[in-house]
C-alpha cells in the first residue's frame, strides 16, 4: 500500500513484485518564509510545478501557502503549463499584464527556465542544463535569495529613475537659464560634471541599503 508522500519507485525481482521505494525531497528551511515574502514584494500568484505525485504536491503546497500546484508533471507538461500561464498575462493590444518568473534546479526544468520571462536556476544543487538555461543563477541553496534579488532589482530601478529624472531636470533648467541669458560657465560645468557626481553619489545608496538589509 502506497501510504507515504513522495515519488514511488516500484521494485520487482525475477519478475515478482518486491515492494516500492518512496523518494521525497526535504522542504528548504526558508521556503515558507520565501513564499510569504514573495507575496509582500508584489508577486500575485505562486504556482508550483513538480514531478511528484498529486498527494505530495498538495501536502507541500498547503504547508508553504502556494496558490496553485500541479503534480506528476514531466518536462513537456511543465512547458505546456508555463505557456498556458503566459497566455493569462496577455492583455489587450498585445500588452502584458505581468511577468512570469520560474525557479528550478532539475534538468527537466531547463526548457521552462528558457521559456519564462525570467528563469532562475539554483546553481548549488542545480543541473548543468538548468544553470545554462537560466537567466539568473543563485549560487546558494536558499530560495530566500530570490526575494533578495527582486528587492535589489527594485532598488536599482528606483535609483536609475531618480538619476534620470534628476539629471534631465537639472540639465533642462540650465538650458532654460542659458536661453534666458542668465547662466555662466560655472553653471555649465555643474550641469556636466556636477550632475554626474550627484548621480554617482545617489547610486552609492545601494551599497548602504544592502548593508542595512
Amino acid at each position: 500500500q502506497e501510504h507515504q508522500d513522495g515519488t514511488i519507485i516500484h521494485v520487482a525481482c525475477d519478475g515478482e513484485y518486491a515492494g516500492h521505494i518512496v523518494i521525497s525531497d526535504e522542504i528548504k528551511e526558508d521556503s515558507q518564509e520565501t513564499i510569504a515574502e514573495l507575496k509582500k514584494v508584489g508577486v500575485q500568484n505562486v504556482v508550483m510545478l513538480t514531478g511528484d505525485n498529486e498527494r505530495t504536491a498538495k501536502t507541500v503546497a498547503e504547508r508553504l501557502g502556494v496558490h496553485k500546484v500541479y503534480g506528476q508533471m514531466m518536462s513537456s507538461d511543465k512547458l505546456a503549463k508555463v505557456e498556458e500561464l503566459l497566455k493569462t498575462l496577455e492583455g489587450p493590444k498585445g500588452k502584458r499584464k505581468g511577468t512570469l518568473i520560474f525557479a528550478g534546479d532539475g534538468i527537466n526544468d531547463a526548457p521552462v527556465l528558457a521559456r519564462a520571462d525570467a528563469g532562475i536556476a539554483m546553481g548549488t544543487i542545480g543541473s548543468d542544463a538548468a544553470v545554462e538555461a537560466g537567466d539568473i543563477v543563485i549560487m546558494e541553496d536558499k530560495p530566500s535569495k530570490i526575494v533578495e534579488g527582486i528587492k535589489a532589482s527594485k532598488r536599482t530601478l528606483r535609483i536609475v529613475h531618480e538619476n534620470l529624472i534628476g539629471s534631465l531636470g537639472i540639465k533642462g533648467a540650465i538650458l532654460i537659464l542659458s536661453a534666458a541669458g542668465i547662466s555662466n560657465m560655472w553653471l555649465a560645468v555643474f550641469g556636466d560634471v556636477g550632475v554626474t557626481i550627484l548621480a554617482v553619489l545617489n547610486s552609492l545608496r545601494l551599497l548602504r541599503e544592502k548593508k542595512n538589509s
Side-chain angles (χ1 to χ4, degrees), residues 17-79:
Y17 182 71
H20 65 271
I21 301 173
V22 180
I23 301 177
S24 60
D25 295 326
E26 292 184 358
I27 299 177
K28 303 294 186 297
E29 293 181 359
D30 59 347
S31 294
Q32 189 170 8
E33 177 186 352
T34 299
I35 301 299
E37 288 297 321
L38 284 173
K39 296 176 182 178
K40 290 181 181 179
V41 298
V43 177
Q44 296 181 356
N45 294 299
V46 180
V47 181
M48 184 173 73
L49 309 180
T50 177
D52 289 336
N53 60 52
E54 293 286 351
R55 182 170 58 185
T56 302
K58 289 181 180 179
T59 300
V60 174
E62 290 175 358
R63 290 181 59 184
L64 298 182
V66 175
H67 294 107
K68 294 182 180 179
V69 58
Y70 301 92
Q72 293 182 322
M73 305 195 80
M74 304 294 289
S75 180
S76 58
D77 299 325
K78 291 183 179 181
L79 186 58

Side-chain angles (χ1 to χ4, degrees), residues 177-191:
L177 293 176
S178 298
I182 54 177
S183 65
N184 53 39
M185 181 62 68
W186 290 111
L187 192 59
V189 171
F190 173 75

Side-chain angles (χ1 to χ4, degrees), residues 26-39 41 43 46 48 60 64 66 101-105 120-125 136-151:
E26 292 184 358
I27 299 177
K28 303 294 186 297
E29 293 181 359
D30 59 347
S31 294
Q32 189 170 8
E33 177 186 352
T34 299
I35 301 299
E37 288 297 321
L38 284 173
K39 296 176 182 178
V41 298
V43 177
V46 180
M48 184 173 73
V60 174
L64 298 182
V66 175
I101 301 174
F102 183 86
D105 57 18
I120 303 177
M122 307 300 288
T124 304
I125 60 174
I136 302 168
V137 180
I138 296 179
M139 299 310 297
E140 292 185 58
D141 189 18
K142 294 182 179 180
S144 58
K145 293 296 180 180
I146 298 174
V147 179
E148 292 184 16
I150 293 175
K151 290 181 178 179

